[in-house]
Amino acid sequence: KAPQWIMMKARNTTNNWDCYHVSVGNTKRIKLNSSAAPEDYTDPWNDTTPTSSVFTSTGSWLGGNGTNCVAYCWTEIPGYSKFGGYTGNGSSNGTYVHLGFRPAFLMVKKTSGANSWVMYDVKRSTTNVIDNYLIAEGTDVDNTNSAVSVDFLSNGVKFRSGYDIVNAGDYIYMAFAEQPSETIFGLDANAH
């Protein structure tokens, strides 16, 4: 399958962690090490959508021959991973995003403006409302803030604040399942 999310970095230069996301497209990059909004930048993806066997990058981004790179590529697996976009409603009765499973990990990034990458998981916040989070581009330890809270439900997530870091604009996300929405025994998953 073609990747829907790619994180790539040249290992022996000081390049950014450039990200491709299917909802943003192949003409922009999003920097994992920055809170900046997506920017028009041809080099990382060469304006070419990834296929099931290859993704394209230009030599100028790579720094020329001999540059060592690492790339992490993900695609959706129904019931286990999902990558998409949503529009926040700016309300404490926030946007619901259907995933098709109960998430274990969620990362969100605003695309309609600059803001941080926010990561939630079920290991630091073990019950709803989940308000412990990490910032991908920051050096902070755990952050706890009810203005950035979310509920992990049996089949998706519900944002519980109108704060613009997660629910007042356009966003992309990546999510991985703790439990699929239907188990192998035909039982429904539970909310967190």
Side-chain angles (χ1 to χ4, degrees), residues 41-58:
Y41 195 72
T42 300
D43 289 355
W45 319 118
N46 200 28
D47 291 353
T48 305
T49 301
T51 70
S52 61
S53 59
V54 68
F55 68 88
T56 305
S57 187
T58 65

Side-chain angles (χ1 to χ4, degrees), residues 5-174:
W5 186 299
I6 301 171
M7 295 188 317
M8 180 172 63
K9 179 164 186 356
R11 293 175 50 220
N12 57 350
T13 69
T14 57
N15 285 19
N16 294 294
W17 275 97
D18 285 334
C19 295
Y20 164 85
H21 191 282
V22 66
S23 296
V24 173
N26 64 26
T27 62
K28 296 184 184 297
R29 74 170 175 179
I30 315 160
K31 296 181 281 190
L32 183 64
N33 55 304
S34 171
S35 61
E39 62 184 358
D40 290 326
Y41 195 72
T42 300
D43 289 355
W45 319 118
N46 200 28
D47 291 353
T48 305
T49 301
T51 70
S52 61
S53 59
V54 68
F55 68 88
T56 305
S57 187
T58 65
S60 61
W61 180 90
L62 296 172
N65 292 334
T67 300
N68 295 318
C69 295
V70 62
Y72 300 97
C73 305
W74 292 277
T75 194
E76 283 187 7
I77 309 283
Y80 295 95
S81 60
K82 189 153 177 78
F83 310 94
Y86 67 92
T87 299
N89 64 11
S91 166
S92 60
N93 183 16
T95 299
Y96 165 76
V97 177
H98 181 77
L99 301 173
F101 54 79
R102 182 173 76 200
F105 174 84
L106 173 71
M107 182 159 57
V108 174
K109 170 73 172 102
K110 187 172 188 173
T111 58
S112 57
N115 223 320
S116 292
W117 295 83
V118 181
M119 296 182 290
Y120 303 95
D121 64 75
V122 297
K123 299 301 180 188
R124 287 171 301 112
S125 287
T126 58
T127 60
N128 284 327
V129 169
I130 294 177
D131 59 3
N132 284 34
Y133 63 94
L134 294 170
I135 300 296
E137 77 279 4
T139 58
D140 301 353
V141 295
D142 255 0
N143 292 289
T144 302
N145 183 345
S146 61
V148 189
S149 59
V150 64
D151 280 341
F152 280 10
L153 307 174
S154 64
N155 59 358
V157 295
K158 172 88 171 168
F159 292 94
R160 295 296 182 187
S161 83
Y163 194 42
D164 76 338
I165 196 170
V166 293
N167 191 36
D170 295 323
Y171 302 84
I172 56 171
Y173 67 86
M174 73 183 309

